[in-house]
Amino acid sequence: MTRPVLLPAVSILVLALPLFARGGHPPGDARGEKMIDSLVRAMTIEEKVGQLVLCTPLRDDSLAGPSVSAEQARLIARGRIGGILNIRGARATHEAQKIAVEESRLKIPLLFGLDVIHGYRTTFPIPLAEASSWDTAMVEQDARVAAAEAAASGVNWTFAPMVDIARDPRWGRIAEGSGEDPLLGSLMAAARVRGFQGRDPASDGSIAACVKHFAAYGGAEGGRDYNTVDISERTLREVYLLPYKAAVDAGALTVMTSFNEIAGVPSTGNQALLTGILRTEWGFRGFVVSDWTAVTEMIAHGVARDTPGVAALAFNAGTDQDMESGAYGLFLSRLVREGKVTAARLDEGVRRVLRVKYALGLFDNPYRHSSEEREHSTLLSPDHVARARDAGRKSIVLLKNSGGVLPLSKKIGSIAVIGPLADDRGDPLGPWDALGRPQDVVTLLEGIRSALPPSAHVLYAQGCTIEGNGTGGIAAALEAAKNADAVVLAVGESSAMSGEAASRSSLDIPGIQDALIEAVAGTGKPVVLVLMNGRPLSIAWAEAHIPAILETWFLGVQTGNAVADVLFGDCNPSGKLPVTFPRTVGQVPFYYNHKNTGRPAVDTARFTSRYRDLPSSPLFPFGFGLSYAAFDYSDLTVTPGTIDSAGTVTVAIRVKNTGARAGEEIVQLYVRQDVGSVTRPVRELKGFRKIMLAPGESRQVEFPLPGRDLLMYDAAMRRVVEPGRFTVYVGTNSRDVTEGHFTVRRK
Ligand code: NOJ
């Protein structure tokens, strides 16, 4: 047993002094490093290990939310806990922080972590929905709002952004990320980090970001959560790793490991990933936290026999902090004494954690301006709610609008609002709703009622439940439909059907909702299908039979108002799918940037790569989304026709609004390397622009395409631009494009 180092009173004072000093906090700056050096010198092994322990509160007996138990309070006072997760609220965090900075020997403040994924109290659209906006400025703003609310409540660290690429919609966590594309995912990842952390993570209203789940968690076999991932290094580097890298480049202070293994190595014990790629290649300087009990789960993975074994494996690989498994708290000191973990590695882990605390300004102000008054004025403020409405409108994707059913007229005499999600207050919050409350949600029915004049008759019938089989409500729904001029039918999933541990083997609309849709369609009334869900659903029947379909995902507190804005044309929808919609679950994994194969699918040719019982195309391709306007693309130019790898091609196209309404279009640029030393995807997104066009207006949209955007891993895994011909595709989605070419010359 090492005896605790007892510091003379004077040195405690010296250590405590910088805690309240003022100034900037760039991670790694001289002032911080000096302070961290003196702290590390003064710490016992147990206090060092304490910084690497993240645990959850054991007491949740108050309305204010969970707070620390008496036992945890004792551990904090002894410097045995570095951070707490799932604690929230100014009062609870103040209480816990006070113990750390007033009662513990070295007065090191605590981190308070929470999954602030798409808002804190003001719930924004789920990340998959926000990705449908392709609007990075909006996403940054929304993360900023979430950070401001969380910070007011004492939370100083969010377990977000979740940036896992997802190519399989069976995986429930597809809802938490930005979909299937590495470029869109990277831009969203960086935007969220900027939003959470602000320009200075120590500034008022900023919190630390945690990019997760490192790495390739979305590659789970069969879309089953926590399942094995076995992908090539090329796919890892060219697809899955890019958004994490973008988040790290944007300054994310922390990274979370993923539950999965990759090619036999669980991420939490993966040195090549956590140290080789993350630190050596990318220069990451923050700390790595495990996912929840992921350290001890490596016993079940079968890479060590017991808890000390996995603790050593995880820590030596580069997992600095242990979330909730208890392995570090119980065994790390012993492992250091036994020489299974070096003292230098221990110090390094501690320094990384302290550096993040310093970067957050916690040593200057451990409470970081959180207070109950501030909570009161910040959470769900009118400005935040207005932003949530705007985000909701921009996240909606119009999938179908035949015969111009939409927008509906506000002069409509009567409208039937039908479906299990039509007046649902809880599910629109989506998975990971932090402090979101059902009572804050504007339901679709409420949104429609408030959009219409009092003279309009709004009829409502639930029809059925989301997952149940009872058909008793269908008759009333049909009655409502028959008595109305138009029907808005809100169907989809419950929020519990997506998020963690919510994989599905089917992509069908659950329960008997399909029967409800068919029955309502049978009335012959104009029907607008409003989908609420956390993943692409297989809606082939609806696509063939229902005239108008809106994908609204889970839009958060302003669901009803945002959807009504689009239904009645106060907002012209502009969202585009960040994921491919398959026709049936049998097509997944299904993503637009796939390889061509030696026998690319031809639906009429037997010996090609296809299913004999399905068309080879998706129901809706990546990037798809309609508008109440119509856009015409012409005059594609690619200049110059030849560049070298250091050059830049300019791709230009004219886009004209040929519709009768002003509208926003997201113009998309894709590129294909026609021939490579290894096979290349059939197309890859390389850029996009969101433009607003008045009716009749046209604009030339230009994309500079620098040679570095053509980098790929060659047959020898060198990152190069290979010479040869490239095809560019520009258009309104990944399928409907105009193409041109350029060549990269050999140097
Ligand atoms: C487990 C989840 O995988 C992770 O995303 C989350 O941040 C932690 N639990 C903490 O809630």
Side-chain angles (χ1 to χ4, degrees):
M1 250 325 253
T2 313
R3 298 230 337 260
V5 182
L6 291 176
L7 292 178
V10 61
S11 47
I12 291 181
L13 188 66
V14 169
L15 287 169
L17 266 180
L19 306 188
F20 301 99
R22 290 258 141 237
H25 308 79
D29 78 351
R31 182 174 82 98
E33 291 304 296
K34 207 166 146 209
M35 187 204 67
I36 290 167
D37 282 346
S38 41
L39 274 176
V40 172
R41 267 199 303 276
M43 291 166 99
T44 63
I45 293 190
E46 284 71 19
E47 283 166 337
K48 289 177 183 175
V49 171
Q51 289 305 307
L52 311 177
V53 171
L54 177 66
C55 61
T56 199
L58 299 173
R59 187 160 70 88
D60 191 355
D61 54 6
S62 75
L63 279 178
S67 49
V68 293
S69 65
E71 172 57 13
Q72 283 171 325
R74 265 194 302 279
L75 290 170
I76 296 169
R78 291 173 60 219
R80 301 297 193 268
I81 292 180
I84 301 177
L85 79 155
N86 293 337
I87 192 169
R88 54 190 177 265
R91 193 186 313 158
T93 51
H94 267 244
E95 260 172 39
Q97 196 68 294
K98 198 161 184 287
I99 304 170
V101 298
E102 292 186 11
E103 295 178 35
S104 78
R105 194 175 70 92
L106 296 174
K107 310 192 179 332
I108 300 174
L110 294 165
L111 286 169
F112 298 120
L114 188 74
D115 292 277
V116 181
I117 308 294
H118 52 111
Y120 182 69
R121 174 75 187 267
T122 306
T123 311
F124 284 86
I126 56 169
L128 189 63
E130 286 211 324
S132 309
S133 72
W134 298 46
D135 189 334
T136 51
M138 179 198 88
V139 165
E140 179 175 339
Q141 270 296 341
D142 295 350
R144 196 85 211 114
V145 167
E149 292 194 357
S153 227
V155 171
N156 51 34
W157 182 24
T158 175
F159 302 124
M162 186 282 213
V163 306
D164 303 317
I165 294 287
R167 293 173 153 188
D168 189 333
R170 290 173 296 182
W171 191 50
R173 304 200 76 167
I174 194 170
E176 298 173 46
S178 295
E180 71 190 36
D181 183 67
L183 175 67
L184 186 61
S186 296
L187 294 170
M188 292 293 162
R192 287 210 165 82
V193 171
R194 289 195 303 271
F196 289 133
Q197 296 190 173
R199 265 194 295 278
D200 174 3
S203 64
D204 205 3
S206 293
I207 58 179
C210 181
V211 53
K212 70 186 189 186
H213 307 80
F214 196 57
Y217 183 30
E221 281 178 1
R224 217 177 67 223
D225 209 2
Y226 317 120
N227 203 10
T228 304
V229 174
D230 201 351
I231 50 181
S232 67
E233 191 186 354
R234 182 182 317 286
T235 302
L236 183 68
R237 287 184 178 272
E238 289 188 345
V239 179
Y240 286 90
L241 287 187
L242 299 183
Y244 310 105
K245 167 83 160 60
V248 166
D249 288 348
L253 288 169
T254 69
V255 170
M256 187 187 295
T257 67
S258 57
F259 287 124
N260 56 282
E261 67 161 79
I262 303 173
V265 187
S267 298
T268 308
N270 191 334
Q271 183 151 30
L273 196 62
L274 302 178
T275 301
I277 293 178
L278 185 61
R279 304 227 173 239
T280 313
E281 287 186 33
W282 297 356
F284 175 65
R285 298 208 64 195
F287 73 84
V288 173
V289 62
S290 78
D291 201 346
W292 181 277
T293 65
V295 174
T296 43
E297 285 171 28
M298 288 200 292
I299 299 173
H301 273 288
V303 289
R305 193 173 289 283
D306 53 16
T307 309
V310 286
L313 184 62
F315 194 62
N316 286 333
T319 301
D320 302 301
Q321 195 177 61
D322 172 7
M323 185 195 291
E324 195 54 22
S325 91
Y328 288 7
L330 287 171
F331 293 108
L332 213 48
S333 310
R334 193 179 100 190
L335 290 166
V336 172
R337 290 198 188 92
E338 288 172 352
K340 295 189 173 132
V341 164
T342 65
R345 169 69 188 110
L346 180 65
D347 286 359
E348 177 186 60
V350 175
R351 270 171 206 286
R352 290 172 180 167
V353 172
L354 294 179
R355 215 174 263 143
V356 168
K357 292 185 173 182
Y358 175 77
L360 278 169
L362 285 171
F363 289 105
D364 287 352
N365 179 359
Y367 306 104
R368 302 177 80 250
H369 313 293
S370 79
S371 71
E372 288 181 86
E373 299 79 70
R374 198 176 171 119
E375 252 179 325
H376 189 70
S377 61
T378 310
L379 272 51
L380 211 66
S381 76
D383 173 51
H384 294 178
V385 172
R387 285 181 192 281
R389 181 172 183 160
D390 185 52
R393 295 152 61 126
K394 290 181 174 153
S395 301
I396 293 171
V397 185
L398 177 61
L399 294 178
K400 186 177 176 194
N401 191 19
S402 68
V405 168
L406 286 174
L408 297 170
S409 165
K410 285 191 186 171
K411 295 201 186 105
I412 195 163
S414 57
I415 185 166
V417 185
I418 297 175
L421 284 144
D423 198 28
D424 183 324
R425 218 169 273 293
D427 291 301
L429 291 171
W432 296 113
D433 49 12
L435 235 65
R437 306 228 167 119
Q439 69 258 32
D440 302 335
V441 171
V442 177
T443 70
L444 177 58
L445 179 62
E446 290 167 343
I448 289 175
R449 281 208 170 111
S450 62
L452 289 175
S455 56
H457 290 293
V458 181
L459 308 163
Y460 165 69
Q462 187 188 13
C464 61
T465 59
I466 296 174
E467 290 188 82
N469 288 321
T471 51
I474 293 191
L478 290 182
E479 193 56 27
K482 283 179 194 152
N483 288 321
D485 298 327
V487 180
V488 173
L489 182 53
V491 297
E493 298 181 301
S494 67
S495 66
M497 295 179 84
S498 50
E500 188 180 350
S503 294
R504 295 183 61 200
S505 62
S506 162
L507 298 177
D508 291 346
I509 302 178
I512 56 142
Q513 294 180 86
D514 275 331
L516 178 68
I517 300 172
E518 289 180 30
V520 171
T523 63
K525 297 286 175 168
V527 177
V528 180
L529 196 69
V530 172
L531 296 169
M532 296 187 194
N533 43 275
R535 57 162 62 73
L537 295 175
S538 42
I539 51 162
W541 191 91
E543 193 271 337
H545 297 93
I546 304 288
I549 306 177
L550 285 176
E551 175 54 81
T552 74
W553 311 109
F554 293 122
L555 293 182
V557 284
Q558 283 289 297
T559 291
N561 289 332
V563 178
D565 287 341
V566 168
L567 286 173
F568 297 107
D570 292 322
C571 166
N572 186 351
S574 58
K576 302 275 190 180
L577 295 177
V579 275
T580 302
F581 267 51
R583 293 172 188 277
T584 80
V585 72
Q587 285 178 305
V588 305
F590 200 8
Y591 44 93
Y592 84 95
N593 48 355
H594 60 83
K595 301 295 186 68
N596 205 35
T597 81
R599 294 185 178 197
V602 176
D603 283 343
T604 49
R606 176 160 180 200
F607 293 99
T608 62
S609 182
R610 66 189 189 95
Y611 297 105
R612 58 180 295 149
D613 50 358
L614 271 184
S616 303
S617 55
L619 193 61
F620 299 107
F622 174 84
F624 181 83
L626 303 171
S627 160
Y628 300 152
F631 302 102
D632 178 61
Y633 285 67
S634 64
D635 307 332
L636 175 73
T637 57
V638 185
T639 46
T642 303
I643 57 165
D644 63 34
S645 58
T648 294
V649 164
T650 299
V651 180
I653 195 144
R654 180 153 293 280
V655 184
K656 180 171 184 189
N657 181 352
T658 56
R661 291 172 162 258
E664 274 187 302
E665 168 71 328
I666 300 171
V667 183
Q668 301 160 39
L669 167 71
Y670 298 86
V671 173
R672 176 178 188 169
Q673 180 177 344
D674 294 354
V675 177
S677 62
V678 291
T679 63
R680 302 302 302 153
V682 293
R683 59 196 59 176
E684 294 173 281
L685 183 71
K686 292 294 177 187
F688 56 89
R689 297 266 184 288
K690 198 168 182 174
I691 54 164
M692 171 63 93
L693 292 176
E697 186 184 353
S698 76
R699 189 168 321 156
Q700 161 111 337
V701 179
E702 284 190 4
F703 296 94
L705 181 65
R708 67 170 177 278
D709 283 2
L710 309 172
L711 281 163
M712 47 81 81
Y713 286 89
D714 71 5
M717 287 305 286
R718 288 172 307 219
R719 201 154 177 260
V720 294
V721 176
E722 291 187 332
R725 196 179 83 144
F726 290 76
T727 303
V728 302
Y729 307 91
V730 186
T732 183
N733 61 55
S734 62
R735 178 192 63 201
D736 302 313
V737 288
T738 313
E739 66 178 76
H741 302 278
F742 69 93
T743 301
V744 174
R745 79 171 72 86
R746 200 169 292 278
K747 270 202 178 151

